[in-house]
Amino acid sequence: MASISISTSSDAERRRGPTWLQGLATATVISVFVLVIIGGVVRVTGSGLGCPDWPLCYGKALPPLEYTAIIEYTHRFVASVIVGPLILATAGVALARYRSDRWVWLPAAISIPLLIVQGLLGGITVLTHLPGGIVALHLATAEALLATCVFVMVASYRTPVLATATLSSSDGYHRWAIVGAVSVYVVIVSGALVTAMGATGACVTWPLCQGQAFPMNHLTAVHMFHRYVVLVLGVLLLYATWRCWTGPTTRGATLKWLAALTVATFVVQVIVGAATIWLDFQAHWRALHLTAATAVWTAAAAMAIVAYIDVRTAGAVPQPHRPAGNDGQ
């Protein structure tokens, strides 16, 4: 495959000015992140059936003044009144005004079916009385939706409208960034499966499980397997961040900042995971554990997206063209 030399353009030279899409995409990422965290609070507080029907709550538009019902209703409210409209608005702007920039419109288009699937999974989760596998799939889809929204946000800030977009030569750091991000996603899914299989509290010590590195009991083995997944894939993630941080001067400041943020959030996640076990799996620590994991995923996904877009668009020729319509610049 033919390659071209990597452009030395700085991050600042490759950003657009402020646009409506950038504001919408940023607000969407924040709202989806918050929604995932609220979903975690629903799970750790046992509020999944606070509203036992769907889409209403006890057959009414408003929940009763009961703790679990209010928590579950808050999750539904944020999903339907804030997150859903923001994703649709972002996708609408992207598809209407950025049709010549596939880095923007394609992930925006993908976010719509993901949003629909996520909403249906939420309803199925309640109507089938919280089966573990569906709950884990619900979380996995939410994290995938978050990454798609991050892609739209990053692309709205970074990519010019291009005449060409040929893969440039590089030292492969963008591939490692993708591997690192996928590793975080696998860790999150494996953690969700631990919860789905009822193995969360099977190991009450850390880093070993009741003093054993390889426990033989079914639930303790499931729990310990998740820790080994974190160990192995965590090493891959750290190597990926190192590859993004080091190398030619063409590495942008944004990429290095995201690599540092990914490492920092990963360290926090490990500490929170250990503290959750040491402090007897208290609900607020379990919610914080998911929050930290989602923060690592967001940072790692952004790092991978920045690295990939930079390599794919390096050396390409930008066209002097603005998005269709007046985008608020």
Side-chain angles (χ1 to χ4, degrees), residues 6 169-171 173 243-252 255-256:
I6 299 179
S169 61
S170 74
D171 58 3
Y173 71 95
R243 290 294 297 269
C244 289
W245 178 269
T246 61
T249 56
T250 48
R251 299 284 200 276
L255 182 61
K256 292 188 175 185

Side-chain angles (χ1 to χ4, degrees), residues 197-216:
M197 298 175 71
T200 300
C203 294
V204 296
T205 61
W206 189 92
L208 299 179
C209 182
Q210 281 78 271
Q212 295 180 308
F214 300 99
M216 299 305 294

Side-chain angles (χ1 to χ4, degrees), residues 291-303:
T291 302
T294 304
V296 180
W297 168 236
T298 304
M303 179 183 72

Side-chain angles (χ1 to χ4, degrees), residues 151-212:
F151 202 126
V152 177
M153 182 186 72
V154 170
S156 71
Y157 281 93
R158 295 189 72 79
T159 61
V161 179
L162 301 171
T164 59
T166 305
L167 183 64
S168 71
S169 61
S170 74
D171 58 3
Y173 71 95
H174 64 294
R175 296 187 184 91
W176 280 108
I178 294 171
V179 169
V182 171
S183 297
V184 177
Y185 188 77
V186 172
V187 166
I188 292 176
V189 172
S190 72
L193 291 175
V194 168
T195 301
M197 298 175 71
T200 300
C203 294
V204 296
T205 61
W206 189 92
L208 299 179
C209 182
Q210 281 78 271
Q212 295 180 308

Side-chain angles (χ1 to χ4, degrees), residues 3-314:
S3 64
I4 56 179
S5 60
I6 299 179
S7 169
T8 57
S9 299
S10 65
D11 287 345
E13 291 173 331
R14 302 181 62 185
R15 294 190 185 99
R16 296 191 182 100
T19 66
W20 279 106
L21 180 63
Q22 290 171 355
L24 278 171
T26 302
T28 300
V29 168
I30 293 171
S31 68
V32 176
F33 185 93
V34 171
L35 179 64
V36 173
I37 304 315
I38 296 175
V41 172
V42 169
R43 185 177 65 180
V44 302
T45 58
S47 303
L49 292 177
C51 294
D53 48 351
W54 186 88
L56 299 177
C57 186
Y58 288 97
K60 298 180 180 179
L62 295 176
L65 296 179
E66 195 275 325
Y67 175 70
T68 58
I70 291 173
I71 293 176
E72 167 63 10
Y73 184 83
T74 300
H75 181 244
R76 296 187 189 183
F77 179 87
V78 172
S80 59
V81 177
I82 300 176
V83 171
L86 275 174
I87 289 176
L88 293 175
T90 301
V93 171
L95 292 169
R97 300 182 176 180
Y98 290 79
R99 290 187 297 272
S100 59
D101 193 342
R102 71 177 183 276
W103 302 107
V104 173
W105 72 258
L106 184 56
I110 292 173
S111 70
I112 296 176
L114 276 177
L115 174 66
I116 295 172
V117 170
Q118 176 68 355
L120 292 175
L121 283 173
I124 293 171
T125 299
V126 172
L127 296 177
T128 55
H129 302 288
L130 312 180
I134 299 297
V135 172
L137 182 60
H138 188 47
L139 175 61
T141 306
E143 301 287 4
L145 178 61
L146 175 60
T148 305
C149 295
V150 170
F151 202 126
V152 177
M153 182 186 72
V154 170
S156 71
Y157 281 93
R158 295 189 72 79
T159 61
V161 179
L162 301 171
T164 59
T166 305
L167 183 64
S168 71
S169 61
S170 74
D171 58 3
Y173 71 95
H174 64 294
R175 296 187 184 91
W176 280 108
I178 294 171
V179 169
V182 171
S183 297
V184 177
Y185 188 77
V186 172
V187 166
I188 292 176
V189 172
S190 72
L193 291 175
V194 168
T195 301
M197 298 175 71
T200 300
C203 294
V204 296
T205 61
W206 189 92
L208 299 179
C209 182
Q210 281 78 271
Q212 295 180 308
F214 300 99
M216 299 305 294
N217 176 271
H218 173 65
L219 292 182
T220 54
V222 169
H223 185 119
M224 200 64 187
F225 176 75
H226 171 64
R227 297 190 193 180
Y228 283 120
V229 169
V230 174
L231 176 62
V232 174
L233 298 185
V235 171
L236 280 177
L237 175 65
L238 294 176
Y239 180 72
T241 58
W242 177 77
R243 290 294 297 269
C244 289
W245 178 269
T246 61
T249 56
T250 48
R251 299 284 200 276
T254 299
L255 182 61
K256 292 188 175 185
W257 181 84
L258 287 170
L261 180 64
T262 301
V263 172
T265 52
F266 177 72
V267 171
V268 170
Q269 165 68 351
V270 171
I271 294 172
V272 170
T276 300
I277 296 169
W278 290 335
L279 298 175
D280 199 25
F281 302 96
Q282 296 177 29
H284 60 279
W285 279 100
R286 291 171 60 197
L288 185 59
H289 188 47
L290 177 60
T291 302
T294 304
V296 180
W297 168 236
T298 304
M303 179 183 72
I305 293 163
V306 167
Y308 184 72
I309 288 178
D310 283 359
V311 170
R312 290 295 304 230
T313 60

